[in-house]
């Protein structure tokens, strides 16, 4: 009791610290306005060390969850082969995939449960993977590197996909045809430069990337870098400073009429 | 009439005058007191706050910024290597505050520090296995940098890493060396690929492949980043873990001398450092810091620190006559603007003639430079840039390799020092036989930044665990200089 009172007093005496790392990230990753509850917790964390510690535990638990989801599926790889292990990994992440030579997609249901039918298929490589909205990161990609026939990869809205992940995609350089990177908040131009290794890429989606300052310029540079690739999702005008050309012409007219009068 | 009476007695008036002024001053003093009440209360409140516990006021006037009088480890040099060592020492200490670490940096503005003047590249394309392992570890460190260096309540670390990779070009003569290096690099775990001239032309149509026999491209963990962000991240985390920082210059050491006899019968003077004299900036005042271990991470000035201990000033044939072989070498970096230059896929291009070039930003700016010949080393007394060097030596080689660079404009340039190891251009890590408690971590000859996280861990393991645990850096030990056994790295830029 006394300790918490003392900590309260110390909190009030010390200067107000910046926002907690979680909420800073949550605020910057795209949530337009955080909920009332989040803002209330943030305010409390400025005053009480206890609340600040709880918020940091929350952050730590979330990062541990990501690490656990992206561990290497070594047991499955050793006992069932790389393809089955990769399939199992994708399904546990709540992604979906399609084997090469088959047309049926294996998906988990809305609660994340899936059937183990994929284990009975002959050992084929995976051709299309949909990992949108999952927690995949560069560690988890280790489970998929042996899929040398991967043609389509969708990473729409993955919060943990960053530039290092894009640099690791070079393993699919000879097979990847379609890549969807929209709404991945951690990707910057430095990572997009690493896509130069995907020589067979024909379709790329880079819409909704908040860290790109000049999306139009990036689109031009990407099209120059990958000549056979169609870059979608951004217009050439995005990121340009739009001069008010109409206002300028009006001023010119006014000035000329004034001088005419004078 | 009364006034006339008084004018004839000026003394009387004079006597009265002080009374009058005293009266007026007392009334004025009361008026002043009430007018100044605000200021008086404020002064009283400030004094009360200073007197309460929690304020840093002390009746003894101390110089601000003095280092502590005693520390366990003193790290000379506040560059990226020094702060990396400080961070890893704090991370590996078993008991909280078990190790008191002090980092001494000469220049708070870092105006001449090699760290911030560097191009910021990181590559695994070396010929020595240890170099590859060091930079691979550093790349993995930077991959997970927020797991290592994030501080509560602060922004996450952003290194602005560009993953464009390094592209080395080899002529006919050096193609076999490149192939051998490729094998070593793949074996050590680096992701590198070899390209033939036709593949190179297909991939980089803006390049002129005349004279190129083979090229080596880094696919992953290679590129460039912002060295200032890394330095600040390491510093912020280390300070949050309790490392003391001091801005001052190390001007000397106070040592205890012991005599030791070698197997040849030669008597050596071993100096054990007891105190490090740290002189305050713009002052003659110095503080002797009592310490147990000193780490020399002073970069280009490491040779100067070593000579303060008498290394190199003994008789020519003895161990103490071998000078510490690290000296500053000036290198120029030019920022050029070329609107038609290569685009986003420009790697960090390194030609076999020694010219290097990388993209900077998205606006058609590039950073380029070249290492001068051994005989034409520029003057190291200042950091002035020699623009003629670009015109005469760099430009034509650059334009030969990338024809678009025939039309370019030099926007700006800067110069920085390499902590150049004149012996074999590789890092020096370890103890000197003549100074049993000074660890060296210097002489990286332009690769200090990219190897710094791993070197920091290596030195921390050497000090706290007694030996290397993660990466075996015994090849970089100092004794190779005394035994005259160089380990040569062939891919120096």
């Amino acid at each position: 009791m006394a300790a918490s009172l003392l900590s309260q007093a110390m909190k009030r005496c010390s200067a107000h610290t910046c926002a907690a790392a979680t909420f800073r990230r949550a605020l910057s990753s795209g949530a337009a306005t955080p909920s009332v509850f989040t803002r209330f917790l943030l305010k409390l964390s400025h005053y009480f060390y206890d609340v600040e510690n709880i918020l940091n535990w929350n952050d730590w638990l979330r990062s541990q969850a990501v690490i656990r989801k992206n561990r290497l599926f070594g047991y499955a790889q050793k006992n069932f082969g790389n393809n089955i292990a990769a399939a199992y990994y994708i399904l546990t992440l709540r992604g979906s995939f399609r084997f090469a030579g088959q047309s049926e997609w294996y998906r988990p249901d809305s609660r994340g449960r899936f059937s183990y039918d994929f284990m009975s298929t002959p050992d084929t490589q995976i051709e299309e993977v949909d990992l949108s909205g999952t927690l995949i990161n560069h560690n988890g990609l280790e489970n998929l590197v042996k899929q040398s026939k991967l043609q389509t990869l969708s990473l729409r809205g993955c919060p943990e996909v960053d530039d290092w992940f894009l640099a690791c995609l070079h393993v699919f350089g000879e097979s990847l045809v379609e890549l969807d990177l929209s709404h991945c908040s951690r990707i910057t131009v430095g990572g997009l430069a690493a896509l130069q290794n995907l020589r067979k890429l024909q379709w790329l989606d880079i819409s909704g990337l908040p860290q790109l300052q000049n999306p139009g310029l990036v689109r031009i540079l990407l099209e120059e870098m990958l000549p056979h690739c169609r870059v979608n999702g951004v217009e050439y005008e995005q990121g340009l400073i739009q001069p008010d050309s109409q206002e300028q012409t009006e001023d010119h007219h006014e000035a000329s009429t004034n001088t005419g009068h004078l | 009439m009364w006034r006339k009476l008084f004018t004839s007695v000026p003394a009387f008036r004079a006597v009265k005058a002080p009374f009058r002024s005293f009266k007026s001053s007392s009334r004025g003093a009361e008026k002043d007191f009430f007018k100044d009440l605000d200021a008086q209360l404020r002064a009283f409140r400030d004094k009360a706050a200073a007197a309460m516990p929690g304020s840093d006021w002390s009746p003894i006037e101390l110089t601000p910024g003095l280092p502590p009088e005693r520390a366990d480890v003193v790290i000379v040099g506040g560059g990226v290597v020094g702060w990396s060592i400080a961070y890893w020492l704090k991370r590996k200490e078993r008991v909280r505050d078990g190790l008191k670490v002090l980092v001494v940096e000469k220049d708070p503005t870092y105006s001449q520090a090699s760290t911030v003047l560097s191009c910021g590249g990181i590559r695994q394309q070396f010929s020595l296995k240890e170099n590859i392992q060091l930079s691979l570890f550093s790349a993995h460190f930077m991959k997970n940098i927020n797991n290592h260096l994030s501080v509560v309540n602060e922004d996450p670390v952003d290194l602005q890493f560009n993953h464009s990779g390094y592209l080395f070009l080899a002529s006919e003569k050096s193609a076999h060396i490149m192939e051998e290096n490729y094998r070593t690099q793949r074996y050590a775990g680096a992701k590198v690929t070899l390209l033939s001239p036709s593949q190179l032309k297909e991939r980089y149509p803006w390049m002129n492949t005349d004279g190129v026999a083979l090229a080596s491209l880094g696919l992953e963990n290679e590129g460039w980043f912002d060295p200032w962000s890394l330095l600040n991240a390491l510093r912020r985390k280390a300070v949050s873990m309790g490392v003391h920082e001091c801005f001052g210059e190390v001007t000397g050491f106070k040592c205890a001398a012991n005599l030791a006899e070698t197997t040849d019968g030669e008597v050596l003077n071993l100096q054990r450092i007891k105190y490090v004299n740290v002189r305050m900036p713009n002052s003659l005042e110095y503080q002797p810091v009592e310490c147990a271990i000193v780490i020399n991470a002073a970069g280009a000035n490491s040779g100067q620190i070593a000579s303060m201990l008498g290394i190199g000033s003994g008789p020519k044939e003895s161990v103490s006559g071998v000078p510490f072989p690290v000296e500053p070498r000036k290198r120029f970096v030019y920022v050029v603007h070329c609107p038609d230059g290569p685009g986003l896929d420009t790697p960090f291009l390194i030609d076999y003639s020694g010219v290097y070039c990388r993209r900077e930003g998205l606006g058609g700016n590039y950073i380029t430079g070249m290492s001068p010949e051994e005989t034409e080393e520029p003057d190291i007394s200042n950091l002035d840039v020699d623009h003629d060097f670009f015109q005469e030596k760099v430009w034509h080689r650059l334009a030969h390799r990338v024809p678009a660079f025939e039309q370019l404009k030099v926007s700006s340039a800067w110069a920085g020092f390499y902590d150049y190891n004149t012996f074999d251009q590789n890092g020096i890590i370890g103890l000197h036989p003549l100074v049993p408690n000074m660890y060296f971590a210097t002489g990286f000859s332009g690769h200090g930044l990219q190897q710094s996280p791993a070197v920091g861990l290596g030195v921390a393991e050497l000090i706290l665990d007694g030996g290397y645990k993660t990466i075996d850096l015994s090849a970089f030990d100092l004794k190779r200089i005394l035994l005259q056994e160089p380990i040569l790295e062939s891919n120096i830029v």
Side-chain angles (χ1 to χ4, degrees):
Chain A
M1 172 70 173
S4 67
L5 276 177
L6 191 61
S7 65
Q8 282 176 38
M10 285 167 73
K11 265 280 191 178
R12 241 176 269 135
C13 284
S14 65
H16 282 281
T17 46
C18 324
T22 20
F23 291 95
R24 178 73 64 107
R25 220 177 290 151
L27 290 171
S28 64
S29 68
T33 35
S35 69
V36 176
F37 182 61
T38 315
R39 291 208 309 267
F40 174 62
L41 274 184
L42 197 56
K43 195 88 173 119
L44 277 187
S45 76
H46 288 167
Y47 290 99
F48 300 112
Y49 279 126
D50 315 326
V51 179
E52 190 187 322
N53 276 333
I54 291 173
L55 293 181
N56 290 329
W57 289 341
N58 198 13
D59 201 16
W60 183 82
L61 281 173
R62 213 167 281 178
S63 71
Q64 287 299 103
V66 170
I67 292 171
R68 238 180 310 121
K69 283 215 170 250
N70 283 300
R71 68 198 186 282
L72 186 69
F73 280 46
Y75 180 80
Q77 275 183 358
K78 207 163 45 160
N79 294 3
F80 299 100
N82 284 318
N83 302 325
I84 302 290
Y88 183 43
Y89 167 67
I90 295 169
L91 287 171
T92 51
L93 273 186
R94 298 205 186 187
S96 39
F97 65 92
R98 180 178 72 77
F99 280 119
Q102 295 177 16
S103 60
E104 118 187 61
W105 279 75
Y106 291 87
R107 297 175 199 278
D109 67 6
S110 57
R111 285 181 56 182
R113 292 174 302 184
F114 51 89
S115 75
Y116 286 83
D117 293 342
F118 64 90
M119 289 184 62
S120 52
T121 56
D123 204 17
T124 41
Q125 302 236 313
I126 298 175
E127 206 169 63
E128 291 190 40
V129 178
D130 177 13
L131 283 166
S132 36
T134 60
L135 289 171
I136 187 166
N137 69 8
H138 54 84
N139 287 325
L141 195 59
E142 290 293 312
N143 290 315
L144 298 176
V145 290
K146 291 288 195 295
Q147 306 305 311
S148 51
K149 287 206 199 128
L150 189 64
Q151 283 181 5
T152 307
L153 182 58
S154 169
L155 296 164
R156 190 184 180 87
C158 290
E160 299 290 324
V161 162
D162 57 0
D163 296 338
W164 296 91
F165 188 98
L166 294 183
C168 292
L169 286 180
H170 70 86
V171 291
F172 303 123
E174 291 305 312
S175 62
L176 199 63
V177 168
E178 289 184 20
L179 183 60
D180 183 352
L181 292 173
S182 47
H183 304 286
C184 295
S185 51
R186 292 211 194 165
I187 294 184
T188 69
V189 182
L192 292 175
L195 297 180
Q196 58 170 305
N197 294 313
L198 301 174
R199 303 313 294 173
K200 297 274 176 9
L201 200 63
Q202 283 172 13
W203 191 90
L204 176 64
D205 188 339
I206 52 165
S207 53
L209 297 179
Q211 297 209 31
L212 288 188
Q213 311 297 354
N214 289 309
L217 178 59
V218 172
R219 177 179 168 181
I220 295 172
L221 291 170
L222 282 171
E223 286 175 346
E224 201 185 355
M225 179 170 95
L226 298 167
H228 305 292
C229 180
R230 238 192 80 201
V231 180
N232 302 348
V234 284
E235 298 305 319
Y236 291 120
E237 294 82 38
Q238 268 177 273
L240 287 178
I241 305 169
Q242 301 285 356
D244 281 333
S245 48
Q246 280 192 341
E247 262 182 26
Q248 278 187 2
T249 47
E250 278 177 25
D251 285 336
H252 274 296
H253 280 308
E254 270 189 38
S256 61
T257 47
N258 279 340
T259 48
H261 277 306
L262 283 170
Chain B
M1 190 189 102
W2 292 106
R3 236 177 252 137
K4 267 199 191 146
L5 209 98
F6 284 128
T7 46
S8 58
V9 190
F12 186 61
R13 182 179 262 190
V15 166
K16 263 213 173 161
F19 270 103
R20 206 175 285 143
S21 65
F22 177 73
K23 251 201 173 168
S24 69
S25 75
S26 84
R27 216 178 286 142
E30 281 174 22
K31 273 199 213 133
D32 291 330
F33 179 73
F34 280 111
K35 249 190 252 174
D36 290 337
L37 194 60
D38 253 354
Q40 299 268 0
L41 277 182
R42 211 178 305 132
F44 172 72
R45 230 181 309 135
D46 286 340
K47 272 195 208 148
M52 282 286 133
S55 79
D56 60 352
W57 179 82
S58 128
I60 311 163
E61 270 187 30
L62 295 171
T63 327
L66 267 187
E69 287 175 7
R70 198 170 289 123
D72 292 320
V73 180
V74 173
I75 300 178
V76 178
V80 70
V81 174
W83 279 110
S84 167
I85 298 175
Y87 162 73
W88 281 108
L89 277 172
K90 272 298 179 183
R91 192 148 139 186
K92 284 178 71 66
E93 64 180 7
R94 306 277 170 78
V95 182
R96 184 160 20 158
D97 293 333
L99 206 60
K100 186 163 179 179
V101 182
L102 171 71
V103 173
V104 180
E105 165 59 36
K106 185 168 73 168
D107 183 7
T109 59
Y110 286 87
S111 55
Q112 300 206 333
S114 313
T115 302
V116 296
L117 295 170
S118 141
C119 289
I122 176 168
R123 58 173 164 115
Q124 280 86 48
Q125 294 180 53
F126 291 101
S127 56
L128 265 188
K129 167 180 70 122
E130 283 86 4
N131 276 330
I132 304 172
Q133 284 171 337
L134 280 174
S135 82
L136 208 51
F137 180 91
S138 305
H140 287 308
F141 182 86
M142 286 188 245
K143 205 184 266 203
N144 302 315
I145 196 156
N146 276 305
N147 294 350
H148 294 287
L149 299 184
S150 67
V151 177
V152 157
N153 280 343
E154 297 279 351
D155 293 329
V157 181
D158 176 22
L159 286 180
Q160 292 160 41
F161 203 106
N162 273 282
H163 297 261
S164 295
Y166 267 66
L167 181 69
F168 276 84
L169 302 176
S171 59
E172 293 284 339
K173 289 185 298 190
S174 43
H176 63 285
I177 305 177
M178 182 172 270
E179 278 174 19
E180 218 177 282
N181 291 347
Y182 169 75
R183 268 196 290 276
T184 323
Q185 286 149 21
R186 286 298 295 262
Y187 185 68
K191 309 277 201 294
V192 197
T193 180
L194 287 177
L195 297 171
S196 69
S198 52
Q199 284 172 323
L200 204 56
K201 192 74 196 172
E202 182 258 318
R203 223 167 130 140
Y204 302 113
W206 42 263
M207 200 188 301
N208 170 21
T209 51
D210 279 347
V212 176
L214 196 59
S216 155
L217 173 69
L219 296 168
E220 209 183 308
N221 297 330
E222 288 197 357
W224 59 88
F225 60 96
D226 180 22
W228 178 246
S229 310
L230 180 64
L231 177 66
N232 264 340
L234 283 166
R235 179 160 129 191
R236 187 180 74 176
K237 183 68 177 172
V239 166
S240 82
M241 294 204 282
V243 171
H244 300 265
E245 181 183 14
C246 164
F247 290 113
E249 189 176 346
V250 170
T251 47
F253 300 91
K254 195 158 157 187
C255 315
N258 292 312
L259 297 174
E261 191 172 336
T262 64
T263 44
D264 302 331
E266 185 189 341
V267 175
L268 293 175
N269 193 14
L270 296 184
Q271 308 214 58
R272 190 169 197 93
I273 301 173
K274 295 290 182 191
Y275 293 86
V276 180
N277 292 340
V278 179
R279 196 192 64 174
M280 291 295 105
N282 301 325
S283 160
L284 285 177
E285 180 183 1
Y286 70 92
Q287 164 81 312
V289 179
E290 189 180 356
C291 58
I293 292 175
V294 176
I295 302 179
N296 185 350
N301 301 320
S302 327
Q304 197 188 352
I305 302 282
S307 61
M308 283 178 201
L309 288 161
I311 297 174
S313 52
K316 278 283 187 277
E317 292 304 316
S318 74
V319 176
S320 50
V322 180
F324 191 61
V326 172
E327 60 181 44
R329 290 276 172 100
K330 191 158 80 165
R331 295 285 180 265
F332 305 113
V333 177
Y334 304 93
V335 182
V336 301
H337 175 70
C338 176
D340 294 325
L344 197 59
D345 57 348
T346 323
F348 203 130
L349 178 67
I350 303 186
D351 193 33
Y352 50 81
S353 56
V355 160
Y356 62 82
C357 164
R358 74 153 167 93
R359 172 182 61 86
E360 171 62 37
L362 300 177
N365 294 315
Y366 304 88
I367 282 184
T368 174
M370 186 172 125
S371 289
E373 300 287 321
E374 281 281 341
T375 45
E376 296 168 353
E377 286 289 341
D379 172 41
I380 50 169
S381 57
N382 55 27
L383 280 180
D384 293 341
V385 178
D386 179 12
H387 291 277
D388 295 328
F389 181 72
F390 180 77
Q391 301 281 341
E392 286 162 26
K393 300 273 165 55
V394 183
W395 196 355
H396 66 93
R397 292 189 171 100
L398 200 58
H400 171 73
R401 190 52 62 207
V402 183
F405 283 156
E406 279 163 17
Q407 324 279 336
L408 60 70
K409 195 170 86 145
V410 179
S411 336
S412 83
W414 72 82
F417 289 123
Y418 273 15
D419 48 343
Y420 196 81
N421 179 357
T422 50
F423 186 63
D424 58 8
Q425 292 88 54
N426 273 318
I428 300 176
I429 303 173
L431 285 166
H432 196 287
L434 291 181
V435 188
N437 62 348
M438 174 176 255
Y439 288 83
F440 287 84
T442 172
F444 296 102
S445 315
H447 306 130
L449 176 67
Q450 58 187 283
Q451 295 174 341
S452 57
V455 163
L457 178 58
V459 174
E461 284 172 352
L462 203 55
I463 294 175
L464 295 176
D465 299 333
Y468 297 110
K469 289 260 169 66
T470 322
I471 308 174
D472 186 13
L473 299 174
S474 36
F476 291 139
D477 200 76
L478 216 150
K479 62 177 191 284
R480 74 183 194 270
I481 297 165
L482 302 165
L483 295 173
Q484 296 291 313
E485 288 167 11
I487 44 165
L488 288 167
E489 165 65 51
S490 55
N491 262 4
I492 294 283
V493 177

